[in-house]
Amino acid sequence: MMTLRRFILTVECNGMIIKASQRSGARNLANHLANTQDNDHVTLHEIRGLAGQSLNAALLEIDAVSKGTQCQQPLFSVSFNPPQDADVKQGQFDAAFAKLEQKLGLTDQPRVVVFHEKEGRRHCHVVWSRIDVDNMRAINMSHFKNKCTEISRELYLDNGWAMPQGLQNKAERDAFQLANSEWQKLKRHGIDPKEIKSLIQKAWQSSDNSERFKQALKDSGLFLARGDKRGFVVIDHTEKVYSLSRHGGIKAKELKTRLGSPDDLPSIALTNVRIRNIYTKEMLGKVNSLKNQHKAQMRPYEDQKAALIKKQRQERREQQEQHNLKRKATMQTVRSRFRKGVMGFFDKVTGKAERLRLIGRKELNAVKAEHAESRHKMIFEHNRERAELQKQMRQNKERQLEERRQLAKTIQQIRAEQRAEQKHDKLRQGFEDSTLDKGQDKPKQDKDGQAINRARKNRRERDLD
């Protein structure tokens, strides 16, 4: 199997993200771009300069051509993600592609353009071939990180978008960057990376020193520890380990300033033992019960989402069929104007045929522009509908996240009370034993002690409920 080696740049701007990578793995990339499971809509917009007319065939063709060179990463993959509320038309995307091509020396290189729509947002993936077939060598992508950053700034200025602080000042850029493989791995285990980041960020913002940060993490069901490879890590109640800097979006310098040295923290193994003492079988049952309850609450939203996507796809198919019919009718009308035989030859001589050809081309371009506008309006309307549903889903998820955080905090409080009660009972038992005469049988537990234990148990059950 072909190994996948990538060098990735991400310029994140709270809205516009340009993500560029030199890579191999044409088949894997094609599968990713054609993924309709994670995306609401996938549109293959353009294949330029390639014989293959499918996504898979086009990327495999680029890979095959590269075999005649020593290039190990023949694909240059870039994603363009404009601000969510911006009404970005195709011409603006094309202008962005042209800027990048000119800046990086990829003008007229074979390329594939794919649009993805997800959660009410539309973004574009463009894959260029790095292979110069005339000279059979790979185009050098030197300093493409800085060049992509410049293009991002230019796009914001050209389109009149408010430029985020992360793009104006590199120091204020979001440090939360996970590779796609890491992101997908967490999703397969039922873990939302955004949720982990939210919990860590909330604990970080509400604390100003190491002890308060550790307590804030515990209240969210996370535990700070010393990593085996990385400095600071957090561990959840399932003993899953996360890098604090990568998953929390906190820079290493800030971590060192506030938390000091990770050597003062317990190891992962010791922290896992403490987690098992806190999250007993009873407590894990409460956590899993709440998770199942939240899944049931999200099911109607998921059904509504599936129905909406199905309806939108049907509307787009119907629109495409109408466009095809109108385009064919226009082409037939244009052809019917040209006379045949001697009269047709006379039209060529007099220049009438050329005038008709120009008129026909103008009419076809007008139809093409009309279809592009109507298609853009439908896409914009569909994304607006999907964004409204996504807003409801996000609000519900935020409420559920707060409920899980409150449950984690309650579990911490209960375990703290239980430890205090155990200490108290041990002291009480020692006092009672010291008052017994030698040789005298130990009395049975008094009724007051039984009543206290029952009251403690009832209080814990009320807190968990």
Side-chain angles (χ1 to χ4, degrees), residues 310-367:
K310 183 178 179 180
K311 178 181 76 71
Q312 290 180 350
R313 289 177 178 175
Q314 179 61 30
E315 290 176 353
R316 295 190 185 195
R317 282 193 295 268
E318 292 175 355
Q319 185 190 61
Q320 186 61 42
E321 291 173 359
Q322 293 174 1
H323 288 178
N324 291 339
L325 290 174
K326 185 170 183 178
R327 185 172 60 253
K328 288 179 181 179
T330 304
M331 292 177 67
Q332 289 176 356
T333 301
V334 171
R335 291 195 189 102
S336 66
R337 295 174 185 154
F338 292 90
R339 296 188 290 183
K340 298 180 181 179
V342 177
M343 299 306 296
F345 177 76
F346 179 78
D347 290 343
K348 289 182 180 179
V349 172
T350 59
K352 182 179 179 181
E354 182 63 24
R355 289 194 297 273
L356 290 175
R357 189 176 293 109
L358 293 175
I359 293 172
R361 186 179 301 162
K362 184 177 180 180
E363 291 177 354
L364 288 172
N365 288 337
V367 170

Short mmCIF file of all heavy atoms in Angstrom, two decimals, residues 310-367:
data_model
loop_
_atom_site.label_atom_id
_atom_site.label_comp_id
_atom_site.label_asym_id
_atom_site.label_seq_id
_atom_site.Cartn_x
_atom_site.Cartn_y
_atom_site.Cartn_z
N LYS A 310 -31.99 14.65 1.86
CA LYS A 310 -32.64 13.88 0.78
C LYS A 310 -33.48 14.80 -0.09
O LYS A 310 -33.45 14.71 -1.33
CB LYS A 310 -33.50 12.78 1.39
CG LYS A 310 -34.17 11.89 0.37
CD LYS A 310 -34.98 10.79 1.05
CE LYS A 310 -35.67 9.90 0.01
NZ LYS A 310 -36.46 8.83 0.67
N LYS A 311 -34.23 15.70 0.54
CA LYS A 311 -35.08 16.63 -0.22
C LYS A 311 -34.21 17.56 -1.08
O LYS A 311 -34.52 17.82 -2.25
CB LYS A 311 -35.93 17.46 0.75
CG LYS A 311 -36.82 18.51 0.08
CD LYS A 311 -37.61 19.29 1.10
CE LYS A 311 -36.77 20.30 1.82
NZ LYS A 311 -36.38 21.46 0.96
N GLN A 312 -33.13 18.08 -0.50
CA GLN A 312 -32.27 18.99 -1.24
C GLN A 312 -31.60 18.30 -2.42
O GLN A 312 -31.49 18.89 -3.51
CB GLN A 312 -31.21 19.56 -0.29
CG GLN A 312 -31.76 20.52 0.75
CD GLN A 312 -30.69 21.05 1.67
OE1 GLN A 312 -29.54 20.57 1.66
NE2 GLN A 312 -31.03 22.05 2.48
N ARG A 313 -31.17 17.08 -2.25
CA ARG A 313 -30.55 16.35 -3.35
C ARG A 313 -31.55 16.12 -4.49
O ARG A 313 -31.18 16.21 -5.66
CB ARG A 313 -29.98 15.02 -2.86
CG ARG A 313 -28.75 15.18 -1.97
CD ARG A 313 -28.26 13.85 -1.45
NE ARG A 313 -27.06 14.01 -0.63
CZ ARG A 313 -26.45 13.03 0.03
NH1 ARG A 313 -26.97 11.79 -0.02
NH2 ARG A 313 -25.36 13.27 0.74
N GLN A 314 -32.79 15.83 -4.12
CA GLN A 314 -33.82 15.64 -5.14
C GLN A 314 -34.08 16.95 -5.89
O GLN A 314 -34.22 16.95 -7.13
CB GLN A 314 -35.11 15.13 -4.49
CG GLN A 314 -36.27 14.90 -5.43
CD GLN A 314 -35.97 13.86 -6.49
OE1 GLN A 314 -35.19 12.94 -6.25
NE2 GLN A 314 -36.58 14.00 -7.67
N GLU A 315 -34.14 18.05 -5.17
CA GLU A 315 -34.36 19.35 -5.81
C GLU A 315 -33.22 19.69 -6.77
O GLU A 315 -33.44 20.24 -7.85
CB GLU A 315 -34.50 20.43 -4.74
CG GLU A 315 -35.79 20.35 -3.95
CD GLU A 315 -35.85 21.37 -2.83
OE1 GLU A 315 -34.82 22.07 -2.60
OE2 GLU A 315 -36.90 21.50 -2.18
N ARG A 316 -32.01 19.36 -6.40
CA ARG A 316 -30.87 19.65 -7.26
C ARG A 316 -30.88 18.77 -8.52
O ARG A 316 -30.50 19.23 -9.60
CB ARG A 316 -29.56 19.46 -6.49
CG ARG A 316 -29.42 20.46 -5.34
CD ARG A 316 -28.05 20.43 -4.73
NE ARG A 316 -27.98 21.32 -3.57
CZ ARG A 316 -26.87 21.74 -3.00
NH1 ARG A 316 -25.70 21.33 -3.48
NH2 ARG A 316 -26.90 22.55 -1.95
N ARG A 317 -31.29 17.52 -8.36
CA ARG A 317 -31.39 16.65 -9.54
C ARG A 317 -32.44 17.18 -10.51
O ARG A 317 -32.22 17.20 -11.73
CB ARG A 317 -31.72 15.22 -9.10
CG ARG A 317 -30.54 14.43 -8.56
CD ARG A 317 -30.86 12.97 -8.46
NE ARG A 317 -31.91 12.70 -7.49
CZ ARG A 317 -31.69 12.43 -6.20
NH1 ARG A 317 -30.45 12.38 -5.74
NH2 ARG A 317 -32.69 12.19 -5.38
N GLU A 318 -33.57 17.60 -9.95
CA GLU A 318 -34.64 18.13 -10.81
C GLU A 318 -34.18 19.41 -11.50
O GLU A 318 -34.47 19.62 -12.69
CB GLU A 318 -35.89 18.40 -9.97
CG GLU A 318 -36.55 17.13 -9.44
CD GLU A 318 -37.71 17.43 -8.50
OE1 GLU A 318 -37.92 18.64 -8.20
OE2 GLU A 318 -38.40 16.49 -8.07
N GLN A 319 -33.47 20.26 -10.78
CA GLN A 319 -32.97 21.49 -11.39
C GLN A 319 -31.97 21.17 -12.50
O GLN A 319 -32.01 21.79 -13.58
CB GLN A 319 -32.31 22.37 -10.34
CG GLN A 319 -31.86 23.73 -10.88
CD GLN A 319 -30.99 24.49 -9.90
OE1 GLN A 319 -29.92 24.01 -9.53
NE2 GLN A 319 -31.46 25.67 -9.47
N GLN A 320 -31.09 20.20 -12.27
CA GLN A 320 -30.11 19.83 -13.28
C GLN A 320 -30.79 19.28 -14.54
O GLN A 320 -30.38 19.58 -15.66
CB GLN A 320 -29.14 18.79 -12.71
CG GLN A 320 -27.98 18.43 -13.62
CD GLN A 320 -27.11 19.63 -13.95
OE1 GLN A 320 -26.82 20.44 -13.08
NE2 GLN A 320 -26.71 19.76 -15.21
N GLU A 321 -31.84 18.51 -14.35
CA GLU A 321 -32.58 17.98 -15.50
C GLU A 321 -33.23 19.11 -16.29
O GLU A 321 -33.21 19.11 -17.54
CB GLU A 321 -33.66 17.00 -15.01
CG GLU A 321 -33.08 15.69 -14.46
CD GLU A 321 -34.15 14.81 -13.84
OE1 GLU A 321 -35.34 15.25 -13.83
OE2 GLU A 321 -33.82 13.71 -13.36
N GLN A 322 -33.80 20.09 -15.61
CA GLN A 322 -34.40 21.25 -16.29
C GLN A 322 -33.34 22.04 -17.05
O GLN A 322 -33.57 22.48 -18.18
CB GLN A 322 -35.12 22.14 -15.27
CG GLN A 322 -36.33 21.50 -14.63
CD GLN A 322 -36.91 22.35 -13.52
OE1 GLN A 322 -36.42 23.44 -13.24
NE2 GLN A 322 -37.97 21.87 -12.88
N HIS A 323 -32.18 22.21 -16.44
CA HIS A 323 -31.10 22.92 -17.11
C HIS A 323 -30.64 22.19 -18.36
O HIS A 323 -30.39 22.82 -19.41
CB HIS A 323 -29.92 23.11 -16.15
CG HIS A 323 -30.18 24.12 -15.08
ND1 HIS A 323 -29.27 24.41 -14.09
CD2 HIS A 323 -31.25 24.93 -14.84
CE1 HIS A 323 -29.76 25.34 -13.29
NE2 HIS A 323 -30.96 25.67 -13.73
N ASN A 324 -30.53 20.87 -18.27
CA ASN A 324 -30.11 20.09 -19.44
C ASN A 324 -31.12 20.21 -20.58
O ASN A 324 -30.73 20.35 -21.75
CB ASN A 324 -29.95 18.62 -19.05
CG ASN A 324 -28.76 18.39 -18.13
OD1 ASN A 324 -27.85 19.21 -18.07
ND2 ASN A 324 -28.77 17.28 -17.41
N LEU A 325 -32.40 20.18 -20.24
CA LEU A 325 -33.43 20.30 -21.27
C LEU A 325 -33.38 21.67 -21.95
O LEU A 325 -33.48 21.77 -23.18
CB LEU A 325 -34.82 20.07 -20.66
CG LEU A 325 -35.13 18.63 -20.21
CD1 LEU A 325 -36.47 18.58 -19.48
CD2 LEU A 325 -35.14 17.68 -21.41
N LYS A 326 -33.23 22.71 -21.14
CA LYS A 326 -33.19 24.06 -21.72
C LYS A 326 -31.93 24.25 -22.55
O LYS A 326 -31.98 24.89 -23.62
CB LYS A 326 -33.25 25.11 -20.60
CG LYS A 326 -33.34 26.53 -21.14
CD LYS A 326 -33.65 27.53 -20.04
CE LYS A 326 -33.80 28.93 -20.64
NZ LYS A 326 -34.15 29.94 -19.61
N ARG A 327 -30.80 23.72 -22.10
CA ARG A 327 -29.57 23.86 -22.86
C ARG A 327 -29.68 23.13 -24.21
O ARG A 327 -29.26 23.66 -25.25
CB ARG A 327 -28.39 23.31 -22.07
CG ARG A 327 -27.05 23.54 -22.77
CD ARG A 327 -25.88 23.18 -21.89
NE ARG A 327 -25.89 21.78 -21.50
CZ ARG A 327 -26.19 21.33 -20.28
NH1 ARG A 327 -26.50 22.20 -19.33
NH2 ARG A 327 -26.17 20.05 -20.00
N LYS A 328 -30.27 21.94 -24.22
CA LYS A 328 -30.45 21.19 -25.47
C LYS A 328 -31.40 21.92 -26.42
O LYS A 328 -31.17 21.98 -27.63
CB LYS A 328 -30.98 19.80 -25.16
CG LYS A 328 -29.96 18.87 -24.51
CD LYS A 328 -30.57 17.51 -24.22
CE LYS A 328 -29.54 16.59 -23.55
NZ LYS A 328 -30.14 15.26 -23.24
N ALA A 329 -32.48 22.48 -25.85
CA ALA A 329 -33.44 23.22 -26.68
C ALA A 329 -32.78 24.45 -27.30
O ALA A 329 -33.01 24.77 -28.48
CB ALA A 329 -34.64 23.63 -25.83
N THR A 330 -31.95 25.14 -26.51
CA THR A 330 -31.25 26.32 -27.03
C THR A 330 -30.28 25.94 -28.14
O THR A 330 -30.19 26.63 -29.17
CB THR A 330 -30.50 27.04 -25.90
OG1 THR A 330 -31.41 27.38 -24.85
CG2 THR A 330 -29.84 28.32 -26.41
N MET A 331 -29.56 24.84 -27.93
CA MET A 331 -28.62 24.38 -28.95
C MET A 331 -29.34 23.99 -30.24
O MET A 331 -28.87 24.28 -31.35
CB MET A 331 -27.81 23.20 -28.41
CG MET A 331 -26.85 23.58 -27.29
SD MET A 331 -25.97 22.16 -26.60
CE MET A 331 -24.97 21.70 -28.01
N GLN A 332 -30.50 23.36 -30.12
CA GLN A 332 -31.27 22.99 -31.31
C GLN A 332 -31.76 24.23 -32.05
O GLN A 332 -31.76 24.29 -33.28
CB GLN A 332 -32.44 22.10 -30.91
CG GLN A 332 -32.04 20.71 -30.47
CD GLN A 332 -33.22 19.89 -29.99
OE1 GLN A 332 -34.35 20.39 -29.91
NE2 GLN A 332 -32.97 18.63 -29.66
N THR A 333 -32.18 25.24 -31.28
CA THR A 333 -32.64 26.49 -31.89
C THR A 333 -31.50 27.17 -32.65
O THR A 333 -31.69 27.66 -33.77
CB THR A 333 -33.18 27.44 -30.81
OG1 THR A 333 -34.26 26.81 -30.12
CG2 THR A 333 -33.67 28.74 -31.44
N VAL A 334 -30.31 27.17 -32.06
CA VAL A 334 -29.15 27.78 -32.70
C VAL A 334 -28.80 27.02 -33.99
O VAL A 334 -28.54 27.62 -35.04
CB VAL A 334 -27.95 27.81 -31.73
CG1 VAL A 334 -26.68 28.23 -32.47
CG2 VAL A 334 -28.22 28.75 -30.57
N ARG A 335 -28.80 25.71 -33.94
CA ARG A 335 -28.46 24.92 -35.13
C ARG A 335 -29.49 25.09 -36.23
O ARG A 335 -29.14 25.07 -37.42
CB ARG A 335 -28.38 23.44 -34.74
CG ARG A 335 -27.20 23.08 -33.85
CD ARG A 335 -26.98 21.58 -33.82
NE ARG A 335 -26.00 21.19 -32.83
CZ ARG A 335 -26.30 20.68 -31.64
NH1 ARG A 335 -27.58 20.49 -31.29
NH2 ARG A 335 -25.35 20.35 -30.80
N SER A 336 -30.76 25.26 -35.87
CA SER A 336 -31.82 25.34 -36.88
C SER A 336 -31.71 26.60 -37.75
O SER A 336 -32.31 26.68 -38.83
CB SER A 336 -33.20 25.30 -36.22
OG SER A 336 -33.41 26.45 -35.41
N ARG A 337 -30.95 27.57 -37.30
CA ARG A 337 -30.81 28.82 -38.05
C ARG A 337 -29.84 28.68 -39.23
O ARG A 337 -29.85 29.49 -40.14
CB ARG A 337 -30.32 29.94 -37.12
CG ARG A 337 -31.31 30.31 -36.01
CD ARG A 337 -30.69 31.31 -35.07
NE ARG A 337 -31.56 31.60 -33.94
CZ ARG A 337 -31.13 32.03 -32.76
NH1 ARG A 337 -29.83 32.21 -32.58
NH2 ARG A 337 -31.98 32.28 -31.78
N PHE A 338 -29.01 27.67 -39.16
CA PHE A 338 -28.03 27.50 -40.24
C PHE A 338 -28.66 26.72 -41.40
O PHE A 338 -29.17 25.62 -41.21
CB PHE A 338 -26.79 26.74 -39.72
CG PHE A 338 -25.97 27.52 -38.73
CD1 PHE A 338 -26.23 27.44 -37.36
CD2 PHE A 338 -24.96 28.36 -39.15
CE1 PHE A 338 -25.48 28.16 -36.46
CE2 PHE A 338 -24.20 29.09 -38.26
CZ PHE A 338 -24.46 28.99 -36.91
N ARG A 339 -28.61 27.34 -42.58
CA ARG A 339 -29.18 26.69 -43.76
C ARG A 339 -28.17 25.72 -44.35
O ARG A 339 -26.96 25.85 -44.14
CB ARG A 339 -29.59 27.73 -44.79
CG ARG A 339 -30.71 28.64 -44.26
CD ARG A 339 -31.24 29.56 -45.35
NE ARG A 339 -30.27 30.59 -45.74
CZ ARG A 339 -30.53 31.54 -46.62
NH1 ARG A 339 -31.73 31.60 -47.21
NH2 ARG A 339 -29.61 32.45 -46.92
N LYS A 340 -28.67 24.77 -45.11
CA LYS A 340 -27.82 23.74 -45.71
C LYS A 340 -27.76 23.94 -47.23
O LYS A 340 -28.48 24.75 -47.80
CB LYS A 340 -28.36 22.35 -45.38
CG LYS A 340 -28.39 22.03 -43.88
CD LYS A 340 -28.94 20.66 -43.63
CE LYS A 340 -28.99 20.34 -42.13
NZ LYS A 340 -29.56 19.00 -41.86
N GLY A 341 -26.88 23.15 -47.85
CA GLY A 341 -26.79 23.18 -49.30
C GLY A 341 -26.20 24.48 -49.83
O GLY A 341 -25.34 25.11 -49.22
N VAL A 342 -26.74 24.88 -51.01
CA VAL A 342 -26.24 26.07 -51.69
C VAL A 342 -26.45 27.32 -50.86
O VAL A 342 -25.58 28.19 -50.77
CB VAL A 342 -26.90 26.23 -53.07
CG1 VAL A 342 -26.43 27.51 -53.75
CG2 VAL A 342 -26.61 25.03 -53.95
N MET A 343 -27.62 27.41 -50.21
CA MET A 343 -27.92 28.59 -49.39
C MET A 343 -26.98 28.68 -48.18
O MET A 343 -26.59 29.77 -47.76
CB MET A 343 -29.37 28.57 -48.93
CG MET A 343 -30.38 28.59 -50.09
SD MET A 343 -30.10 29.97 -51.22
CE MET A 343 -30.42 31.36 -50.17
N GLY A 344 -26.62 27.50 -47.66
CA GLY A 344 -25.67 27.51 -46.55
C GLY A 344 -24.31 27.99 -46.98
O GLY A 344 -23.63 28.73 -46.25
N PHE A 345 -23.88 27.59 -48.19
CA PHE A 345 -22.61 28.07 -48.73
C PHE A 345 -22.67 29.58 -48.97
O PHE A 345 -21.70 30.30 -48.69
CB PHE A 345 -22.32 27.34 -50.05
CG PHE A 345 -21.07 27.80 -50.72
CD1 PHE A 345 -19.82 27.42 -50.26
CD2 PHE A 345 -21.14 28.66 -51.83
CE1 PHE A 345 -18.68 27.87 -50.89
CE2 PHE A 345 -19.99 29.12 -52.44
CZ PHE A 345 -18.75 28.71 -51.97
N PHE A 346 -23.83 30.05 -49.45
CA PHE A 346 -24.00 31.49 -49.67
C PHE A 346 -23.88 32.25 -48.36
O PHE A 346 -23.26 33.32 -48.29
CB PHE A 346 -25.37 31.75 -50.32
CG PHE A 346 -25.64 33.20 -50.57
CD1 PHE A 346 -25.07 33.86 -51.65
CD2 PHE A 346 -26.49 33.91 -49.72
CE1 PHE A 346 -25.32 35.22 -51.86
CE2 PHE A 346 -26.74 35.25 -49.94
CZ PHE A 346 -26.16 35.90 -51.01
N ASP A 347 -24.45 31.70 -47.26
CA ASP A 347 -24.35 32.34 -45.94
C ASP A 347 -22.91 32.42 -45.46
O ASP A 347 -22.51 33.42 -44.83
CB ASP A 347 -25.20 31.58 -44.92
CG ASP A 347 -26.70 31.73 -45.18
OD1 ASP A 347 -27.07 32.66 -45.91
OD2 ASP A 347 -27.48 30.91 -44.64
N LYS A 348 -22.11 31.40 -45.74
CA LYS A 348 -20.71 31.42 -45.34
C LYS A 348 -19.94 32.50 -46.10
O LYS A 348 -19.11 33.21 -45.53
CB LYS A 348 -20.07 30.06 -45.57
CG LYS A 348 -20.53 28.97 -44.62
CD LYS A 348 -19.80 27.67 -44.91
CE LYS A 348 -20.27 26.58 -43.93
NZ LYS A 348 -19.59 25.29 -44.22
N VAL A 349 -20.25 32.60 -47.38
CA VAL A 349 -19.55 33.58 -48.22
C VAL A 349 -19.88 34.99 -47.79
O VAL A 349 -19.01 35.88 -47.72
CB VAL A 349 -19.88 33.35 -49.71
CG1 VAL A 349 -19.30 34.49 -50.57
CG2 VAL A 349 -19.35 32.01 -50.17
N THR A 350 -21.16 35.24 -47.51
CA THR A 350 -21.59 36.59 -47.16
C THR A 350 -21.30 36.95 -45.70
O THR A 350 -21.47 38.11 -45.30
CB THR A 350 -23.10 36.74 -47.41
OG1 THR A 350 -23.81 35.77 -46.61
CG2 THR A 350 -23.42 36.52 -48.89
N GLY A 351 -20.91 35.98 -44.88
CA GLY A 351 -20.62 36.24 -43.47
C GLY A 351 -21.81 36.08 -42.55
O GLY A 351 -21.71 36.28 -41.33
N LYS A 352 -22.97 35.71 -43.13
CA LYS A 352 -24.17 35.53 -42.30
C LYS A 352 -24.00 34.37 -41.32
O LYS A 352 -24.44 34.45 -40.16
CB LYS A 352 -25.38 35.29 -43.20
CG LYS A 352 -26.69 35.15 -42.42
CD LYS A 352 -27.87 34.95 -43.36
CE LYS A 352 -29.17 34.78 -42.56
NZ LYS A 352 -30.35 34.57 -43.46
N ALA A 353 -23.36 33.29 -41.76
CA ALA A 353 -23.16 32.12 -40.90
C ALA A 353 -22.31 32.49 -39.67
O ALA A 353 -22.59 32.03 -38.55
CB ALA A 353 -22.50 31.00 -41.69
N GLU A 354 -21.30 33.32 -39.89
CA GLU A 354 -20.46 33.72 -38.76
C GLU A 354 -21.24 34.58 -37.78
O GLU A 354 -21.09 34.43 -36.55
CB GLU A 354 -19.24 34.48 -39.28
CG GLU A 354 -18.25 34.92 -38.21
CD GLU A 354 -17.63 33.74 -37.49
OE1 GLU A 354 -17.59 32.63 -38.05
OE2 GLU A 354 -17.20 33.93 -36.31
N ARG A 355 -22.11 35.47 -38.31
CA ARG A 355 -22.94 36.29 -37.42
C ARG A 355 -23.89 35.41 -36.62
O ARG A 355 -24.10 35.63 -35.41
CB ARG A 355 -23.72 37.32 -38.23
CG ARG A 355 -22.85 38.43 -38.82
CD ARG A 355 -23.70 39.59 -39.32
NE ARG A 355 -24.60 39.20 -40.41
CZ ARG A 355 -24.28 39.19 -41.68
NH1 ARG A 355 -23.05 39.58 -42.06
NH2 ARG A 355 -25.14 38.82 -42.61
N LEU A 356 -24.47 34.41 -37.28
CA LEU A 356 -25.37 33.49 -36.57
C LEU A 356 -24.61 32.70 -35.50
O LEU A 356 -25.15 32.43 -34.42
CB LEU A 356 -26.02 32.52 -37.56
CG LEU A 356 -27.05 33.13 -38.53
CD1 LEU A 356 -27.50 32.08 -39.54
CD2 LEU A 356 -28.25 33.68 -37.76
N ARG A 357 -23.37 32.34 -35.81
CA ARG A 357 -22.55 31.60 -34.84
C ARG A 357 -22.27 32.47 -33.61
O ARG A 357 -22.35 31.99 -32.47
CB ARG A 357 -21.26 31.16 -35.50
CG ARG A 357 -20.43 30.19 -34.64
CD ARG A 357 -19.19 29.69 -35.37
NE ARG A 357 -19.59 28.84 -36.50
CZ ARG A 357 -19.49 29.18 -37.78
NH1 ARG A 357 -19.02 30.39 -38.10
NH2 ARG A 357 -19.85 28.35 -38.74
N LEU A 358 -21.98 33.73 -33.84
CA LEU A 358 -21.72 34.62 -32.70
C LEU A 358 -22.98 34.85 -31.87
O LEU A 358 -22.93 34.88 -30.64
CB LEU A 358 -21.18 35.95 -33.22
CG LEU A 358 -19.78 35.92 -33.86
CD1 LEU A 358 -19.43 37.29 -34.44
CD2 LEU A 358 -18.73 35.48 -32.84
N ILE A 359 -24.12 35.00 -32.57
CA ILE A 359 -25.39 35.17 -31.85
C ILE A 359 -25.71 33.93 -31.04
O ILE A 359 -26.13 34.00 -29.87
CB ILE A 359 -26.53 35.49 -32.85
CG1 ILE A 359 -26.31 36.86 -33.49
CG2 ILE A 359 -27.88 35.44 -32.14
CD1 ILE A 359 -27.27 37.16 -34.62
N GLY A 360 -25.51 32.75 -31.64
CA GLY A 360 -25.78 31.50 -30.94
C GLY A 360 -24.88 31.32 -29.73
O GLY A 360 -25.33 30.87 -28.66
N ARG A 361 -23.59 31.67 -29.88
CA ARG A 361 -22.67 31.55 -28.75
C ARG A 361 -23.08 32.48 -27.63
O ARG A 361 -23.01 32.12 -26.44
CB ARG A 361 -21.26 31.89 -29.23
CG ARG A 361 -20.18 31.65 -28.18
CD ARG A 361 -18.82 31.99 -28.75
NE ARG A 361 -18.54 31.18 -29.93
CZ ARG A 361 -17.61 31.47 -30.82
NH1 ARG A 361 -16.89 32.59 -30.68
NH2 ARG A 361 -17.38 30.68 -31.85
N LYS A 362 -23.54 33.68 -27.99
CA LYS A 362 -23.99 34.63 -26.97
C LYS A 362 -25.21 34.11 -26.24
O LYS A 362 -25.32 34.23 -25.01
CB LYS A 362 -24.30 35.97 -27.63
CG LYS A 362 -24.67 37.07 -26.66
CD LYS A 362 -24.90 38.40 -27.39
CE LYS A 362 -25.28 39.50 -26.41
NZ LYS A 362 -25.51 40.79 -27.10
N GLU A 363 -26.14 33.50 -26.97
CA GLU A 363 -27.35 32.94 -26.35
C GLU A 363 -26.99 31.78 -25.42
O GLU A 363 -27.54 31.65 -24.32
CB GLU A 363 -28.33 32.50 -27.42
CG GLU A 363 -28.95 33.65 -28.20
CD GLU A 363 -29.86 33.16 -29.32
OE1 GLU A 363 -29.91 31.93 -29.53
OE2 GLU A 363 -30.51 34.00 -29.96
N LEU A 364 -26.06 30.92 -25.85
CA LEU A 364 -25.66 29.79 -25.02
C LEU A 364 -24.94 30.26 -23.76
O LEU A 364 -25.14 29.70 -22.67
CB LEU A 364 -24.76 28.85 -25.82
CG LEU A 364 -25.46 28.01 -26.91
CD1 LEU A 364 -24.43 27.27 -27.75
CD2 LEU A 364 -26.44 27.03 -26.27
N ASN A 365 -24.11 31.29 -23.89
CA ASN A 365 -23.44 31.84 -22.71
C ASN A 365 -24.44 32.46 -21.74
O ASN A 365 -24.27 32.38 -20.52
CB ASN A 365 -22.41 32.89 -23.14
CG ASN A 365 -21.20 32.27 -23.80
OD1 ASN A 365 -20.90 31.08 -23.59
ND2 ASN A 365 -20.50 33.04 -24.63
N ALA A 366 -25.49 33.09 -22.31
CA ALA A 366 -26.53 33.68 -21.45
C ALA A 366 -27.27 32.59 -20.68
O ALA A 366 -27.57 32.73 -19.49
CB ALA A 366 -27.50 34.51 -22.30
N VAL A 367 -27.56 31.49 -21.37
CA VAL A 367 -28.23 30.35 -20.71
C VAL A 367 -27.32 29.77 -19.63
O VAL A 367 -27.77 29.45 -18.52
CB VAL A 367 -28.61 29.28 -21.74
CG1 VAL A 367 -29.07 28.00 -21.04
CG2 VAL A 367 -29.71 29.79 -22.65
#
